[in-house]
């Protein structure tokens, strides 16, 4: 099995090269040429998370032997997650909430970033790569910390993270700037996430700079969801949730479910779509946006229009106007048409929008939640169901309520819960009406714990006593020179 570039099928790669390179040479994203079929869901009934991960990953990584793959999965999930189940599925009223936040950084990015370093290491060996790898990452808050945690102390790897200085929560910021590990670098940029992502893509596509890096013994790779190695591990938990529903008698074999995903860069929901392509019985993929509702507009009008102001919301990990992984969906929905994708991406680049009127997007439903709705949802679900959710999950929950009201569809529904509520403590406290006026972030978390009796996760609690190790800031047009300085290589301007 090969991975094609979305922009030119000639630029295909095997899995190891696709993971090492992160992005195709033509600027496109790697996509699987075919989807391995999982036909016997029933046989998975007694499998652990790791076993299911093996079944899914095995289909995408041909040539990787059973024992190394099992060992990779074992190292990724067996020690770092605070729940044995890895991803518990909680029944809350009429929905099932898939809790993806029990990894080391309390957000769903851990699901993929705890395994990516091991996949990357194996891929580097397979490709016989002699250089050091520089994992260059733009983050809206959660990817950064999860990548730092995954790659810290790893041999022959340096990890550089750019985050929007004013666009992340206080806990997210503290998590990143207290990161230990000589191979870790964290830089705040005076701009938003889209600026950070654009800067990273610019560096990736800069041929001269890449040569300069090679001379210095470095090669670039990406921990963002443009890397196909991020997406594949995310398919696993959708299968896991279905198997769990089956086991608990909440659904019957073959019966379709809805999946609701709070969406930013379109990675998590694309993994659910890939699951569907592999045989997971899915009715609707419900794409939930916050007030940066570009995807809502796209699904409803088929025009993707990024020409608007980015708003900073209480769900910062979804504050994105250019959702990278949508490029992959365009490819799949257009019948693997690279010319089509290239044209749309060119339009987006030059005009700031594109129209995709000919695409059939019936499989998706797009909705969004306002800031007010998010706060009200957190409060209401806590008061009525005694379930505490973070703002991203609340965006999804609220969109599901609208969907159900609008359509009357009562299909069994799974909502992806992407972060622990304490990662966004001040928003959650405000939603519950707690008075946090004269107290700091950590006191707010304690107040919230007292009120809700939901425990603060240890890694978040420990942040308050950690030293701040990363203080660098840079302007959005200084990202390349910052990388050059860190790695002590030439800059190759122009
Ligand atoms: C990254 C993130 C999202 C958005 O996921 P995408 O894969 O970018 O769509 C949603 N919620 C949280 C908490 C996140 O960290």
């Amino acid at each position: 099995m090969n991975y094609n570039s979305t922009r030119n099928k000639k630029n295909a790669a095997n899995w190891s090269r696709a993971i090492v390179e992160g992005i195709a040479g033509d600027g496109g994203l790697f996509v699987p040429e075919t989807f391995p079929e999982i036909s016997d869901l029933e046989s998975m009934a007694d499998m652990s998370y790791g076993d299911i991960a093996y079944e899914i990953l095995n289909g995408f990584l041909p040539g990787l032997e059973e024992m190394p793959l099992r060992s990779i999965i074992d190292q990724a999930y067996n020690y770092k997650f605070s729940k044995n189940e890895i991803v518990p599925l909680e029944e809350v009223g009429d929905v099932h909430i898939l809790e993806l936040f029990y990894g080391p950084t309390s957000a769903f990015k851990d699901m993929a970033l705890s395994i990516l370093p091991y996949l990357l290491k194996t891929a580097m060996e397979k490709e016989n790569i002699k250089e050091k790898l520089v994992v260059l990452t733009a983050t809206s808050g959660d990817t950064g910390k999860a990548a730092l945690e995954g790659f810290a102390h790893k041999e022959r790897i340096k990890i550089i993270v750019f985050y929007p200085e004013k666009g992340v929560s206080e806990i997210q910021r503290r998590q990143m700037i207290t990161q230990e590990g000589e191979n870790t670098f964290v830089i705040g940029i005076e701009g938003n996430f889209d600026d950070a992502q654009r800067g990273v893509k610019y560096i990736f596509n800069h041929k001269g700079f890449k040569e300069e890096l090679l001379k210095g013994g470095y090669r670039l790779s990406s921990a963002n969801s443009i890397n196909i190695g991020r997406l594949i591990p995310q398919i696993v938990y959708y299968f896991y949730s279905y198997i769990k529903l089956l086991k608990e008698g909440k659904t019957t074999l073959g019966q379709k479910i809805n999946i609701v995903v709070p969406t930013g860069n379109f990675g998590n929901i694309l993994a659910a779509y890939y699951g569907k392509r592999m045989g997971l019985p899915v009715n609707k993929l419900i794409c939930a946006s916050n007030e940066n509702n570009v995807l809502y507009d796209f699904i409803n009008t088929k025009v993707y229009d990024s020409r608007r102001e980015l708003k900073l919301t209480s769900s910062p990990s979804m504050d994105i106007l250019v959702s990278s992984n949508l490029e992959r969906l365009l490819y799949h929905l257009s019948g693997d048409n690279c010319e089509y994708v290239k044209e749309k991406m060119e339009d987006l680049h030059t005009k700031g929008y594109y129209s995709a009127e000919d695409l059939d997007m019936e499989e998706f439903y797009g909705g969004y939640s306002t800031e007010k709705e998010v706060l009200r949802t957190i409060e209401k679900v806590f008061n009525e169901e005694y379930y505490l959710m973070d703002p991203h999950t609340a965006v999804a929950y609220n969109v599901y309520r609208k969907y159900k009201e609008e359509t009357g569809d009562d299909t069994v529904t799974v909502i992806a819960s992407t972060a622990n509520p304490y990662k966004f403590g001040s928003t959650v406290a405000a939603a519950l009406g707690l008075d946090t006026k004269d107290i700091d972030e950590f006191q707010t978390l304690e107040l919230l714990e007292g009120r809700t009796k939901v425990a603060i996760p240890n890694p978040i609690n420990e942040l308050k006593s950690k030293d701040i190790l990363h203080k660098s800031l840079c302007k959005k047009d200084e990202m390349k020179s910052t990388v050059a300085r860190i790695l002590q290589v030439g800059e190759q301007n122009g």
Side-chain angles (χ1 to χ4, degrees):
M1 179 175 133
N2 263 329
Y3 291 85
N4 290 332
S5 161
T6 46
R7 299 191 194 175
N8 187 345
K9 275 188 201 154
K10 285 201 191 107
N11 298 328
N14 59 14
W15 69 264
S16 42
R17 208 154 65 76
I19 288 179
V20 167
E21 291 184 1
I23 190 165
D26 53 28
L29 305 183
F30 287 114
V31 281
E33 194 173 39
T34 53
F35 290 94
E37 210 169 304
I38 301 286
S39 47
D40 191 4
L41 286 167
E42 216 169 3
S43 71
M44 289 182 165
D46 294 316
M47 287 190 184
S48 66
Y49 191 86
D51 291 336
I52 294 175
Y54 176 78
E55 294 300 319
I56 306 288
L57 267 58
N58 188 37
F60 283 101
L61 310 170
L64 186 55
E65 304 275 324
E66 174 163 358
M67 281 332 283
L69 180 53
R70 288 206 186 266
S71 148
I72 286 172
I73 292 169
D74 193 48
Q75 293 177 82
Y77 298 113
N78 278 11
Y79 314 103
K80 295 179 193 155
F81 283 71
S82 61
K83 295 263 172 172
N84 286 340
E85 267 200 283
I86 315 296
V87 288
L89 187 67
E90 294 289 330
E91 187 163 9
V92 177
D94 60 349
V95 297
H96 301 270
I97 299 195
L98 184 62
E99 297 183 334
L100 302 172
F101 52 72
Y102 289 103
T105 76
S106 306
F108 97 97
K109 303 292 196 296
D110 289 325
M111 298 310 303
L113 283 163
S114 52
I115 193 168
L116 185 65
Y118 299 101
L119 292 175
L120 203 48
K121 179 166 178 273
T122 311
M124 278 166 77
E125 283 162 9
K126 211 164 153 281
E127 293 297 308
N128 201 15
I129 289 185
K130 298 280 184 282
E131 296 88 14
K132 282 190 191 153
L133 222 55
V134 179
V135 177
L136 200 56
T137 300
T139 185
S140 56
D142 289 330
T143 294
K145 177 59 182 179
L148 289 161
E149 194 62 38
F151 286 105
H153 311 292
K154 293 273 188 296
E155 272 171 50
R156 291 178 60 207
I157 289 182
K158 285 187 197 288
I159 161 119
I160 305 177
V161 170
F162 289 99
Y163 70 95
E165 198 217 337
K166 297 212 166 57
V168 300
S169 86
E170 179 57 16
I171 293 294
Q172 288 177 315
R173 200 175 68 87
R174 290 286 278 244
Q175 281 185 319
M176 290 188 277
I177 62 179
T178 58
Q179 177 67 46
E180 291 167 18
E182 293 223 328
N183 65 336
T184 65
F185 303 88
V186 179
I187 300 109
I189 69 156
E190 296 171 7
N192 58 39
F193 171 70
D194 284 311
D195 296 321
Q197 179 156 263
R198 203 176 303 116
V200 163
K201 281 189 185 165
Y202 170 74
I203 295 172
F204 265 96
N205 290 323
H206 197 296
K207 293 224 161 64
F209 187 52
K210 269 203 198 154
E211 278 162 27
E212 209 55 52
L213 287 171
L214 272 179
K215 271 191 255 164
Y218 292 110
R219 190 184 262 270
L220 289 178
S221 189
S222 165
N224 280 105
S225 54
I226 52 175
N227 194 319
I228 190 72
R230 272 279 301 274
L231 289 179
I232 296 166
Q234 293 182 0
I235 302 168
V236 178
Y237 44 76
Y238 292 113
F239 276 94
Y240 181 83
S241 69
Y242 191 86
I243 306 290
K244 187 93 192 282
L245 288 170
L246 266 183
K247 249 197 315 209
E248 293 181 348
K250 305 279 163 52
T251 183
T252 53
L253 191 64
Q255 195 183 319
K256 291 181 175 174
I257 60 168
N258 293 327
I259 297 177
V260 193
V261 186
T263 297
N265 227 350
F266 211 77
N268 203 5
I269 194 166
L270 189 73
Y273 171 78
Y274 280 12
K276 185 178 182 199
R277 294 284 301 258
M278 295 168 73
L280 187 68
V282 177
N283 176 44
K284 278 279 177 194
L285 293 163
I286 299 173
C287 174
S289 302
N290 65 22
E291 286 183 9
N292 294 298
N293 54 3
V294 204
L295 288 166
Y296 160 80
D297 286 343
F298 178 61
I299 291 170
N300 289 287
T301 65
K302 300 193 182 179
V303 176
Y304 192 92
D305 194 343
S306 69
R307 296 169 301 174
R308 55 184 95 189
E309 280 288 308
L310 186 94
K311 296 180 188 167
L312 297 183
T313 73
S314 58
S315 43
S317 302
M318 298 156 65
D319 290 345
I320 294 172
L321 294 180
V322 179
S323 296
S324 292
N325 282 293
L326 202 57
E327 174 165 352
R328 289 188 162 110
L329 186 71
L330 292 183
Y331 175 88
H332 299 300
L333 292 184
S334 66
D336 303 358
N337 187 338
C338 296
E339 284 309 311
Y340 182 88
V341 176
K342 227 163 85 182
E343 185 190 305
K344 302 301 170 196
M345 291 302 113
E346 194 58 38
D347 280 354
L348 184 63
H349 186 68
T350 54
K351 298 191 278 188
Y353 74 97
Y354 62 83
S355 148
E357 256 139 58
D358 33 357
L359 290 191
D360 178 358
M361 284 190 288
E362 276 303 297
E363 291 164 282
F364 291 85
Y365 171 90
Y368 78 98
S369 301
T370 64
E371 287 295 278
K372 250 197 194 141
E373 286 170 331
V374 169
L375 294 179
R376 242 188 263 135
T377 299
I378 294 172
E379 182 189 25
K380 194 161 184 282
V381 177
F382 183 72
N383 288 338
E384 289 174 9
E385 308 283 353
Y386 234 73
Y387 185 84
L388 191 66
M389 53 175 58
D390 98 289
H392 303 76
T393 309
V395 165
Y397 186 93
N398 179 251
V399 164
Y400 175 65
R401 293 265 71 93
K402 291 181 186 172
Y403 167 80
K404 194 164 177 182
E405 188 147 304
E406 219 173 285
T407 60
D409 176 15
D410 59 2
T411 300
V412 174
T413 295
V414 169
I415 297 181
S417 175
T418 48
N420 186 295
Y422 285 101
K423 229 174 158 171
F424 305 93
S426 19
T427 300
V428 176
L432 299 188
L434 302 182
D435 179 10
T436 59
K437 234 188 344 265
D438 298 313
I439 60 175
D440 72 16
E441 184 72 17
F442 292 102
Q443 291 167 321
T444 300
L445 300 191
E446 278 164 27
L447 193 66
L448 191 55
E449 187 177 47
R451 167 79 175 84
T452 61
K453 311 294 178 236
V454 176
I456 305 173
N458 270 337
I460 289 184
N461 223 353
E462 285 161 4
L463 285 176
K464 58 176 175 249
S465 54
K466 287 207 161 162
D467 292 338
I468 291 169
L469 303 173
H470 304 270
K471 294 178 183 158
S472 304
L473 297 176
C474 83
K475 296 204 162 52
K476 60 186 179 191
D477 55 3
E478 291 172 351
M479 288 170 60
K480 184 160 71 67
S481 55
T482 303
V483 172
R485 188 170 41 75
I486 290 171
L487 302 174
Q488 298 178 317
V489 298
E491 229 193 289
Q492 264 292 334
N493 280 315

